[in-house]
Amino acid sequence: EVQLVESGGGLVQPGGSLRLSCAASGFTLSSYDMHWVRQDTVKSLEWVSGIDTTGDTYYADSVKGRFTISREKAKNSLYLQMNSLRGEDTAVYFCVRGRNLNDCWGQGTLVTVSS
Amino acid sequence: DIQLTQSPSFLSASVGDRVTITCRATQGISSKLAWFQQKPGKAPKLLIYVASALQSGVPSRFSGSGSGTEFTLTIGSLQPEDFATYYCQQVNSYPRTFGQGTKVEMK
């Protein structure tokens, strides 16, 4: 079964750091473009970052310079290192598979940035 | 960046109604558009990709059309399980963007 499972969310103070993980099963993660998408309680879905099969990375302007996406083939996992966190980064973060066809989403992990 | 505007933002409908949601892009994106359905507390579910292709397992009452800057999602006959929020997403270029969502509520 194709599945994505996120972990690593939690409560962090403004200015702090957090690392999200996404474990893939049922497919080889590095053979697909992969993304992080977030959703807060008020706004719509927001694409955050992506990594393609060649390893090129992409970021939303709102997180550029603060977040880093990466993957580890041996663990079939995707990561999002989040630094200098702000209140507006509070959201549920989803790990998503695909380029033109985002057919598999994780269940999401909640990140809360608050003092 | 490409902006997507969905209309309407809210829609009240009854079971059996034909429902149409529009998504407009600020620049041409060919057919690089997807539609998702989201229910409370759940991840979005892919319905339509490349504007008109039905994702495997999605009921045929869902259909998509359009290209360039204007796209539509149609639900042929609304079923009780279809009350949800629907989003469009462009996959033509980075940064990927989503529409603001259309909430379909029971009349």
Side-chain angles (χ1 to χ4, degrees), chain A residues 33-35 37 39 43-47 49-52 58-61 94 98-103 105-107, chain B residues 1 6 32-34 36 38 41-46 49-50 55 87 89 91-92 94-101:
Chain A
D33 291 10
M34 296 295 299
H35 310 272
V37 173
Q39 184 173 38
K43 296 181 183 178
S44 174
L45 298 162
E46 180 185 18
W47 175 86
S49 181
I51 182 168
D52 67 20
Y58 307 88
Y59 298 94
D61 286 345
F94 296 99
R99 178 175 298 177
N100 296 328
L101 200 157
N102 295 146
D103 63 339
W105 294 59
Q107 84 289 351
Chain B
D1 297 359
Q6 288 182 233
K32 298 291 186 69
L33 189 101
F36 296 87
Q38 188 179 31
K42 300 291 188 181
K45 173 188 172 184
L46 178 67
Y49 61 99
V50 292
Q55 170 67 352
Y87 296 94
Q89 181 204 24
V91 296
N92 183 71
Y94 286 104
R96 303 287 179 90
T97 44
F98 290 87
Q100 82 279 12

Side-chain angles (χ1 to χ4, degrees), chain A residues 54-67:
Chain A
T54 69
D56 286 346
T57 58
Y58 307 88
Y59 298 94
D61 286 345
S62 58
V63 308
K64 202 171 292 182
R66 301 187 298 124
F67 290 11

Side-chain angles (χ1 to χ4, degrees), chain B residues 31-86:
Chain B
S31 296
K32 298 291 186 69
L33 189 101
W35 288 97
F36 296 87
Q37 175 193 69
Q38 188 179 31
K39 296 183 178 179
K42 300 291 188 181
K45 173 188 172 184
L46 178 67
L47 300 175
I48 302 285
Y49 61 99
V50 292
S52 60
L54 191 68
Q55 170 67 352
S56 176
V58 174
S60 59
R61 62 181 179 274
F62 291 93
S63 63
S65 65
S67 67
T69 62
E70 187 153 337
F71 303 85
T72 59
L73 172 70
T74 299
I75 308 173
S77 177
L78 197 66
Q79 298 302 299
E81 60 269 29
D82 300 337
F83 292 100
T85 301
Y86 294 84

Side-chain angles (χ1 to χ4, degrees), chain A residues 12-104:
Chain A
V12 61
Q13 292 188 339
S17 297
L18 214 53
R19 188 196 195 207
L20 305 184
S21 300
C22 171
S25 57
F27 72 101
T28 301
L29 186 142
S30 59
S31 297
Y32 290 81
D33 291 10
M34 296 295 299
H35 310 272
W36 289 96
V37 173
R38 68 186 180 185
Q39 184 173 38
D40 66 20
T41 56
V42 177
K43 296 181 183 178
S44 174
L45 298 162
E46 180 185 18
W47 175 86
V48 173
S49 181
I51 182 168
D52 67 20
T53 55
T54 69
D56 286 346
T57 58
Y58 307 88
Y59 298 94
D61 286 345
S62 58
V63 308
K64 202 171 292 182
R66 301 187 298 124
F67 290 11
T68 303
I69 190 172
S70 62
R71 64 185 178 210
E72 184 174 354
K73 285 187 179 182
K75 294 189 175 181
N76 209 31
S77 292
L78 181 74
Y79 304 99
L80 186 68
Q81 177 66 43
M82 304 186 296
N83 299 329
S84 303
L85 282 161
R86 306 167 180 167
E88 54 264 37
D89 296 320
T90 295
V92 174
Y93 285 72
F94 296 99
C95 170
V96 184
R97 178 181 85 163
R99 178 175 298 177
N100 296 328
L101 200 157
N102 295 146
D103 63 339
C104 184

